[in-house]
Amino acid sequence: MTLYSELSAAIGRGDGESITDWARALLDGIAAGAAPTTVVSHPLGFLCVPAHRSGDEGVCLHLWGPQWRRATLTTSPTHCHSWDLDSWVLTGVLRNQTVRLVDDPDAPTHQVFEVRSSAEGDVLHPTGRLVRTEVDAVTTHRAGEGYTQRAGVFHQTLVPDPQGLVATVALGLTRPGGTDLSLGGLDTGSHRTRRQSCPPEVATRVVRAARAALGGTRVAESAGAGE
């Protein structure tokens, strides 16, 4: 069974204890240098700590907090994935806002961009589709709760307390034929953005802050942190 499968099953049964233990082990391993990783500043406002990638499966920690500088966002934070997201909130509170697009070439507020991602960053291309948005639903998720966001649904993550720290385990499963999309300005053209790695001293501070927020005793480094 892969790490993705193990964590997906734990989220499904609401086993927050084992999910948190895994996250503690991951952060302990990174802090000790036993599980080297690159902390990436994501344009959507969080820091991504990659933990596992195999084929269509991915596992990361996502961290929001006031202690670090965010990457610059060139489009709206409203987007949709080509992959299903299963997420478990480890600490803090966030809101997931789903959005419905209404095609409106006469009075649009946004245009739809296709996002083509690679290890170097993202290339964003306007599709020519002009839309306005309507909020469909807003759900609130707290520590010890999970939620799912299916591929193809436009949404935005909101953090109600900008001074607090939010940490989630994020599982991604790519769906064949899906496309990553984002909403951008009407006058914005094709452009490239690059994922920015955190400097080592920032990454260390982030990892320690997240680990402290999870509490508990230090987990042994042999707990399979970065499989």
Side-chain angles (χ1 to χ4, degrees):
M1 181 178 287
T2 66
L3 176 63
Y4 174 94
S5 299
E6 291 177 358
L7 290 173
S8 179
I11 290 174
R13 63 178 182 266
D15 186 1
E17 183 176 356
S18 64
I19 299 168
T20 303
D21 282 347
W22 170 82
R24 287 174 180 146
L26 173 68
L27 294 170
D28 284 342
I30 294 171
T37 191
T38 300
V39 178
V40 178
S41 181
H42 195 283
L44 289 174
F46 58 85
L47 297 184
C48 177
V49 183
H52 168 78
R53 183 74 185 182
S54 178
D56 293 335
E57 300 176 349
V59 178
C60 299
L61 288 186
H62 288 175
L63 307 172
W64 290 260
Q67 301 99 325
W68 45 83
R69 184 176 61 85
R70 293 164 174 79
T72 301
L73 181 62
T74 61
T75 57
S76 159
T78 301
H79 62 286
C80 77
H81 308 141
S82 59
W83 41 275
D84 291 339
L85 168 70
D86 286 320
S87 189
W88 184 268
V89 183
L90 295 164
T91 187
V93 179
L94 58 76
R95 296 190 179 114
N96 189 49
Q97 175 178 284
T98 56
V99 171
R100 181 170 59 254
L101 302 190
V102 179
D103 290 289
D104 191 347
D106 296 323
T109 58
H110 298 87
Q111 62 175 322
V112 179
F113 284 77
E114 180 180 347
V115 183
R116 302 172 188 170
S117 299
S118 69
E120 290 73 32
D122 303 318
V123 178
L124 293 89
H125 295 281
T127 64
R129 184 183 177 190
L130 302 178
V131 300
R132 55 184 171 83
T133 63
E134 296 178 356
V135 175
D136 218 6
V138 181
T139 55
T140 300
H141 308 279
R142 297 174 173 83
E145 298 177 355
Y147 70 96
T148 296
Q149 184 63 69
R150 293 304 174 209
V153 177
F154 278 88
H155 66 285
Q156 177 182 348
T157 301
L158 307 170
V159 176
D161 179 10
Q163 298 305 309
L165 187 145
V166 178
T168 68
V169 175
L171 310 184
L173 181 64
T174 300
R175 292 301 181 186
T179 305
D180 294 320
L181 301 172
S182 182
L183 299 186
L186 298 174
D187 298 324
T188 303
S190 296
H191 60 285
R192 179 186 297 274
T193 62
R194 296 191 180 278
R195 300 290 173 90
Q196 301 174 9
S197 299
C198 291
E201 64 276 10
V202 176
T204 298
R205 185 167 73 246
V206 167
V207 166
R208 288 176 176 170
R211 179 61 184 86
L214 298 187
T217 58
R218 191 174 186 278
V219 183
E221 292 166 14
S222 61
E227 295 177 1

